[in-house]
Amino acid sequence: MRVLAAGDHFVRNDLIAGALRRHLGDTPYELAELTLPWPLEPFGPVAEVAEASDAEDELIKALDGVEVCVTQMAPFTERVLSAAPSLRMIAVCRGGPVNVNAAAAAERGVRVCFAPGRNAASTAEFTIGLMLCALRRIPSAHQSLALEGDWDGSFYTYERSGLELEDTPVGLVGYGAVGSRVARVLTAFGAEVEVYDPYVRGDVLGVRARSLEALLTRSRVLSLHARLTPETRGLIGARELALLPHGSVVVNAARGALLDTGALCDALETGRLAAAALDTYEQEPLPVSSRLRSTPNVVLTPHVAGASRAVARKAAEIAAAEVGRLVRGEPLAHALS
């Protein structure tokens, strides 16, 4: 069996190779490698697939005789799949195989699997960090002291001192792998957690809101954890932000398009919102001309909430485990139907 590890500078080929050794055991296989440029070069749409490295030609060459490919960012377009007649499986090291033309793969009998939950803990932890940075103005205080050399006593005034998480109403929109972990951590802080997710049945940690509007009217901190779908695109706009209590904080480490950027900037500039902390954006990379860069009281990070060494290792292990199941003739755990 010939296997291609098409890793990058995050889910590296050595991590994929090590995981394959553990999960394939004594199964003989030949491993080829291709290193894709992400994240040193941004991903984007490639032909008909989304969020992939623009490397069709390199991938086609590397797939010669390959039966299984383990990757995160390889662009499996119609063109690439047509040029890889030996291919049996694509194991994608991410929560959804958006870099694969799933219909074209299915037509050719190529199994497609993915790695759900690989970055849930990392993203949840980072979300809490964003909340604390926004609530307690940590980046502003650091810049004032370390970069400007100013021991600014105004950070201790009542007007500029921030909120604590303890006893603060925090609204979570979305209660999946990330949102549920954030709820657990917030509960440990003593926050008053409220959840809105019409797709989740059963109990939640905290109070379940009967509607999005009801949750917004009570949330001093709003944290977004919903999936981006046609229904959730622009979910939080000017009308929704106006429902939040005056001086609230908005956090988004999910998908940028859940939130109307212009409406958010308006609310921050007028003082309607106290702060926002964002890791994802409607357009990525964030343009130099973006209004967010000049809007006050915003914490900005470059879509790194899911970036931890543990995530890269978990992703490689989950994908390699699927390869092992394929070889042993077992049902795949995380395959597209």
Side-chain angles (χ1 to χ4, degrees):
M1 180 176 67
R2 184 170 173 82
V3 180
L4 173 65
D8 48 55
H9 297 282
F10 179 53
V11 181
R12 301 186 322 194
N13 282 331
D14 62 323
L15 299 177
I16 295 172
L20 287 168
R21 284 195 300 271
R22 286 186 287 277
H23 288 279
L24 292 179
D26 295 331
T27 301
Y29 65 96
E30 178 186 352
L31 183 65
E33 296 185 4
L34 171 68
T35 299
L36 298 169
W38 190 84
L40 303 182
E41 295 181 13
F43 63 65
V46 178
E48 75 277 12
V49 304
E51 296 187 9
S53 291
D54 190 3
E56 285 182 292
D57 292 339
E58 297 91 328
L59 183 59
I60 288 170
K61 183 178 179 180
L63 284 170
D64 184 26
V66 165
E67 295 178 66
V68 173
C69 180
V70 181
T71 188
Q72 180 175 224
M73 291 292 175
F76 278 95
T77 62
E78 171 83 41
R79 175 178 170 237
V80 169
L81 288 163
S82 296
S86 301
L87 194 63
R88 297 168 55 201
M89 171 191 268
I90 305 165
V92 178
C93 299
R94 58 200 303 187
V98 294
N99 55 312
V100 178
N101 182 329
E107 288 174 5
R108 291 164 174 78
V110 178
R111 303 299 304 276
V112 178
C113 52
F114 51 101
R118 80 209 186 288
N119 65 358
S122 174
T123 304
E125 290 180 8
F126 199 91
T127 298
I128 297 296
L130 288 175
M131 283 186 194
L132 293 172
C133 283
L135 286 167
R136 304 301 300 275
R137 306 185 188 277
I138 295 171
S140 297
H142 167 80
Q143 179 172 336
S144 174
L145 181 58
L147 303 183
E148 299 168 8
D150 184 13
W151 187 276
D152 188 351
S154 71
F155 283 105
Y156 219 110
T157 62
Y158 185 85
E159 290 75 17
R160 294 199 71 191
S161 57
L163 298 173
E164 299 175 356
L165 280 173
E166 186 172 15
D167 298 326
T168 294
V170 180
L172 306 181
V173 178
Y175 196 74
V178 177
S180 58
R181 283 173 168 82
V182 170
R184 190 167 67 232
V185 177
L186 288 171
T187 300
F189 270 96
E192 298 176 3
V193 178
E194 188 167 3
V195 175
Y196 174 73
D197 191 330
Y199 302 103
V200 170
R201 301 290 179 255
D203 295 335
V204 299
L205 194 60
V207 175
R208 182 187 286 276
R210 69 180 184 276
S211 67
L212 176 60
E213 289 74 15
L215 176 137
L216 292 172
T217 61
R218 292 188 287 267
S219 299
R220 293 301 306 275
V221 178
L222 176 67
S223 189
L224 305 183
H225 303 283
R227 289 187 176 277
L228 182 61
T229 67
E231 292 74 28
T232 61
R233 183 175 294 274
L235 182 67
I236 306 299
R239 185 183 75 86
E240 290 75 23
L241 293 173
L243 294 174
L244 292 167
H246 191 276
S248 293
V249 170
V250 173
V251 177
N252 186 13
R255 282 292 182 263
L258 296 170
L259 182 61
D260 183 324
T261 301
L264 177 70
C265 291
D266 288 343
L268 288 163
E269 289 174 352
T270 62
R272 182 76 181 71
L273 292 178
L278 309 175
D279 185 56
T280 59
Y281 309 92
E282 291 181 275
Q283 182 179 345
E284 295 183 2
L286 186 66
V288 174
S289 60
S290 172
R291 187 176 165 194
L292 284 168
R293 294 177 182 268
S294 58
T295 298
N297 300 321
V298 182
V299 178
L300 305 176
T301 54
H303 203 152
V304 292
S308 76
R309 292 185 177 183
V311 170
R313 293 193 300 268
K314 288 177 192 175
E317 290 290 336
I318 294 169
E322 291 288 70
V323 179
R325 293 184 186 99
L326 178 77
V327 169
R328 295 188 297 272
E330 298 172 0
L332 301 179
H334 309 296
L336 295 179
S337 57

